[in-house]
Amino acid sequence: MFNFFNKDNKIKTALTKTAQGFFKGIFNLNSAVLDEFELEDIETTLIKADLGVDLSVEIVDRIKEKKVKSNELKNFLKQEFCSILDSIDNYKLKFDSNKLNVYFVVGVNGAGKTTLIGKLASRFKKQNLKVLLVAGDTFRAAAQEQLDIWAKRAGVDILIEKIPPAALAYKGIDLAKSENYDVVIIDSAGRLQNKYNLIEELKKIKNVIVDKTKNDNLETILVLDGTQGQNGISQANVFFEAVKIDSCAITKLDGSPKGGIVLAIANELKLPCKLIGVGEKIDDLIDFNKEEFIEALFEQ
Ligand code: GDP
């Protein structure tokens, strides 16, 4: 049985796509020793599943080197994937009930930032925590309006003002401290068209946040669109230039057979994917779980 994340059918369906699209072909090989053509097939499958060219080539090289047989391939890949995921420490979102928890959310427009913030806010709210959203994409009125809709949906408070985003973040954290909030989630702009300004702006906001949260719990989350694959990873570099990222959230995995992106992120960006978006509804958010993810990939 497919049992990824143990939730509802939607999640199973979401990751079934990845599992089926992923390896359906390559485990049907039956010759004892993998030949050149089969190795090529494996490489293509890995690339298609979004592990990235470098990682796919590396894995196939190791298959060759170890003379892995067809019937050993599944276990070999499982081990490879496990060791990639094991190279990253912590897949759990940082949270400290004795501190103010601040999440700074970055990513390109359209990646799913607003939706993720809404889902996360709702989750914290359901845990009876006091949550404040900071509508940090201050240049796009529509972005602030969208976030406002999500705040209402989740039943949490929101700070919206037309002032520079760093000033708004400053104000938001001050407000959270003076009114005993447990969680602050700060949105940001993601206009790649104006890369220089975006980087400068994100740097400024991050500096303010770091300065204001010295004794608090801070996590900077990069939101990546799971359907964008490697393209998303290269876009991530813009955000790396600007701020230190702690973790990733992958959105839209419900529509994509490309769950391999999680491995590429661990391998290339050295970051944990902690949250997975599997739909547009408020509860369509799951915590990443390493063991279940691996099992799901190999379930057929
Ligand atoms: P932002 O510009 O980064 O804030 O992106 P939005 O949160 O506005 O999302 C962009 C689009 O992606 C919207 O149509 C969302 O409904 C959709 N979206 C976001 N997350 C998911 C997800 O996990 N699954 C699906 N299928 N759609 C999503």
Side-chain angles (χ1 to χ4, degrees), residues 106 195 198-204 206-207 236-245:
V106 302
K195 193 171 138 189
L198 179 64
I199 290 177
E200 289 312 302
E201 181 184 294
L202 290 174
K203 272 186 192 160
K204 253 191 240 164
K206 179 78 187 244
N207 285 342
N237 291 325
V238 175
F239 297 92
F240 277 93
E241 263 183 68
V243 293
K244 184 183 165 291
I245 309 287

Side-chain angles (χ1 to χ4, degrees), residues 272-292:
C273 288
K274 295 188 176 177
L275 298 166
I276 309 275
V278 290
E280 296 178 275
K281 299 213 180 67
I282 204 155
D283 290 325
D284 292 336
L285 180 70
I286 48 184
D287 290 310
F288 180 75
N289 175 308
K290 200 163 61 170
E291 288 78 20
E292 286 169 351

Side-chain angles (χ1 to χ4, degrees), residues 104-105 113 117 133-140 143-144 147 158-161 163-166 168-169 185-191 201-202 205:
F104 180 38
V105 180
K113 280 190 303 297
I117 293 172
L133 305 187
V134 176
D137 191 352
T138 58
F139 295 99
R140 255 188 341 148
Q144 292 192 317
L147 197 66
I158 183 164
L159 179 65
I160 299 185
E161 276 185 41
I163 56 175
L168 193 65
I185 312 178
I186 304 171
D187 191 15
S188 62
R191 302 174 305 277
E201 181 184 294
L202 290 174
I205 307 169

Side-chain angles (χ1 to χ4, degrees), residues 108-115 119 140 251-252 254 277-280:
V108 297
N109 285 345
K113 280 190 303 297
T114 314
T115 310
K119 291 171 180 175
R140 255 188 341 148
T251 62
K252 311 183 197 179
D254 50 308
V278 290
E280 296 178 275

Side-chain angles (χ1 to χ4, degrees), residues 38-50 56 60:
E38 290 164 334
L39 288 168
E40 231 170 74
D41 256 4
I42 295 165
E43 193 175 294
T44 311
T45 304
L46 296 176
I47 292 170
K48 273 199 197 147
D50 249 339
S56 303
V60 170

Side-chain angles (χ1 to χ4, degrees), residues 34 48 54 74 111 125 139 281 297:
L34 293 162
K48 273 199 197 147
D54 291 350
K74 199 167 182 172
K125 171 78 183 180
F139 295 99
K281 299 213 180 67
L297 283 185

Side-chain angles (χ1 to χ4, degrees), residues 16-284:
T16 301
K17 262 190 196 147
T18 298
Q20 290 179 343
F22 222 32
F23 296 125
K24 214 173 188 163
I26 54 177
F27 296 132
N28 291 336
L29 306 172
N30 47 25
S31 61
V33 180
L34 293 162
D35 65 29
E36 275 302 312
F37 295 112
E38 290 164 334
L39 288 168
E40 231 170 74
D41 256 4
I42 295 165
E43 193 175 294
T44 311
T45 304
L46 296 176
I47 292 170
K48 273 199 197 147
D50 249 339
L51 271 80
V53 175
D54 291 350
L55 180 56
S56 303
V57 170
E58 261 174 52
I59 290 177
V60 170
D61 281 348
R62 279 198 286 276
I63 294 175
K64 272 191 222 164
E65 192 185 295
K66 300 232 149 76
K67 298 193 170 45
V68 175
K69 295 190 179 125
S70 177
N71 58 1
E72 297 165 341
L73 181 61
K74 199 167 182 172
N75 275 341
F76 182 83
L77 288 177
K78 252 190 200 182
Q79 277 164 17
E80 287 284 309
F81 293 175
C82 280
S83 71
I84 292 166
L85 293 180
D86 283 345
S87 68
I88 305 286
D89 265 354
N90 192 356
Y91 286 91
K92 216 167 167 345
L93 201 66
K94 278 196 275 174
F95 181 83
D96 187 332
S97 55
N98 297 314
K99 290 181 177 175
L100 175 64
N101 295 278
V102 179
Y103 303 96
F104 180 38
V105 180
V106 302
V108 297
N109 285 345
K113 280 190 303 297
T114 314
T115 310
L116 182 99
I117 293 172
K119 291 171 180 175
L120 204 50
S122 163
R123 176 196 277 195
F124 285 129
K125 171 78 183 180
K126 282 183 185 153
Q127 294 164 9
N128 288 323
L129 297 166
K130 195 173 171 192
V131 182
L132 176 69
L133 305 187
V134 176
D137 191 352
T138 58
F139 295 99
R140 255 188 341 148
Q144 292 192 317
E145 280 162 24
Q146 275 303 112
L147 197 66
D148 195 29
I149 293 171
W150 274 103
K152 290 197 172 75
R153 226 175 253 163
V156 302
D157 299 329
I158 183 164
L159 179 65
I160 299 185
E161 276 185 41
K162 295 216 171 340
I163 56 175
L168 193 65
Y170 187 100
K171 218 170 166 175
I173 296 170
D174 262 356
L175 177 69
K177 291 193 176 192
S178 65
E179 300 202 2
N180 285 324
Y181 279 83
D182 303 296
V183 173
V184 182
I185 312 178
I186 304 171
D187 191 15
S188 62
R191 302 174 305 277
L192 275 190
Q193 300 86 330
N194 198 337
K195 193 171 138 189
Y196 175 77
N197 284 356
L198 179 64
I199 290 177
E200 289 312 302
E201 181 184 294
L202 290 174
K203 272 186 192 160
K204 253 191 240 164
I205 307 169
K206 179 78 187 244
N207 285 342
V208 165
I209 297 174
V210 168
D211 205 50
K212 298 284 291 176
T213 56
K214 290 217 168 74
N215 300 312
D216 305 305
N217 182 38
L218 170 64
E219 177 147 354
T220 300
I221 305 171
L222 173 64
V223 179
L224 291 173
D225 180 338
T227 62
Q228 291 282 310
Q230 293 298 307
N231 195 19
I233 292 193
S234 56
Q235 285 171 353
N237 291 325
V238 175
F239 297 92
F240 277 93
E241 263 183 68
V243 293
K244 184 183 165 291
I245 309 287
D246 298 303
S247 62
C248 285
I250 310 295
T251 62
K252 311 183 197 179
L253 268 196
D254 50 308
S256 165
K258 292 174 177 276
I261 189 80
V262 172
L263 294 162
I265 289 167
N267 189 57
E268 285 175 47
L269 305 181
K270 306 289 171 218
L271 285 178
C273 288
K274 295 188 176 177
L275 298 166
I276 309 275
V278 290
E280 296 178 275
K281 299 213 180 67
I282 204 155
D283 290 325
D284 292 336

